[in-house]
Amino acid sequence: DLTVILTITFTIGAIRILKRRGAVRQLTALETLGAATVICTDKTGTLTQGEMTAIGFDFLEGTVLTENKLPKNPLHTLALTSLALATDARPASANQTDGHYFGSPTEQTALAFVEKLGLSQTKLLADWRQLDALAFGANWKYRASLRAHPHQAGQVLFVNGAPDILLDASSHALNEHGEIKSLTSEWRRQLHHKLALFEAR
């Protein structure tokens, strides 16, 4: 009988997998594995999950955030706020406890990182009223959101996009002390060099 033959074959396969420290809970899993002709792995030999994860935020001037807490400098926090406001990413659920987001993978990853630091996109959206917005475009490689806060004078343009494009469009930057300083040609060149090193990794 074919059913008996298949069951015996699958059982033998399961025993061989167990000898190699594998685990098979269902015989149908063996059938699926037997039908596989190509198994893709990354360079370490492990199967990839296809998920992006941010492990840090580098301000390029001595400050790198890797811990689950906001920086002491309010200007650094404002920069992180841009990742939560100038984005198409949104939490997948209202309670935001499952860690899943909608939107482009890169912006999902950035939003997940800033929320782990303690920023809440829902609260920020409630505090910062949007006045105008520019969607991401392949020609300009950034998105922008013009917003106003009820307790702060003036308006703030939050921008999120390709670092080299934003650097070329900027006149000022935060130095190693977290102070706003005018960008000189030499400083701009150094920052471009640091960005190139990141891209080469």
Side-chain angles (χ1 to χ4, degrees), residues 24-84:
V24 179
R25 294 183 180 179
Q26 298 178 348
L27 290 179
T28 53
L30 284 176
E31 183 179 5
T32 302
L33 184 59
T37 56
V38 177
I39 298 177
C40 297
T41 65
D42 62 18
K43 61 185 178 183
T44 62
T46 58
L47 291 174
T48 179
Q49 293 182 333
E51 296 180 358
M52 295 173 61
T53 304
I55 59 173
F57 189 101
D58 194 327
F59 286 93
L60 299 181
E61 288 296 337
T63 302
V64 181
L65 298 179
T66 56
E67 301 177 1
N68 293 335
K69 62 181 180 181
L70 287 173
K72 296 179 180 179
N73 189 326
L75 292 175
H76 287 159
T77 301
L78 193 62
L80 294 171
T81 300
S82 184
L83 296 177

Side-chain angles (χ1 to χ4, degrees), residues 175-193:
N175 64 12
E176 67 273 17
H177 305 295
E179 303 167 334
I180 300 177
K181 296 294 182 181
S182 179
L183 270 169
T184 63
S185 58
E186 176 59 21
W187 189 14
R188 193 186 301 273
R189 186 195 65 77
Q190 291 174 3
L191 291 176
H192 270 297
H193 178 66

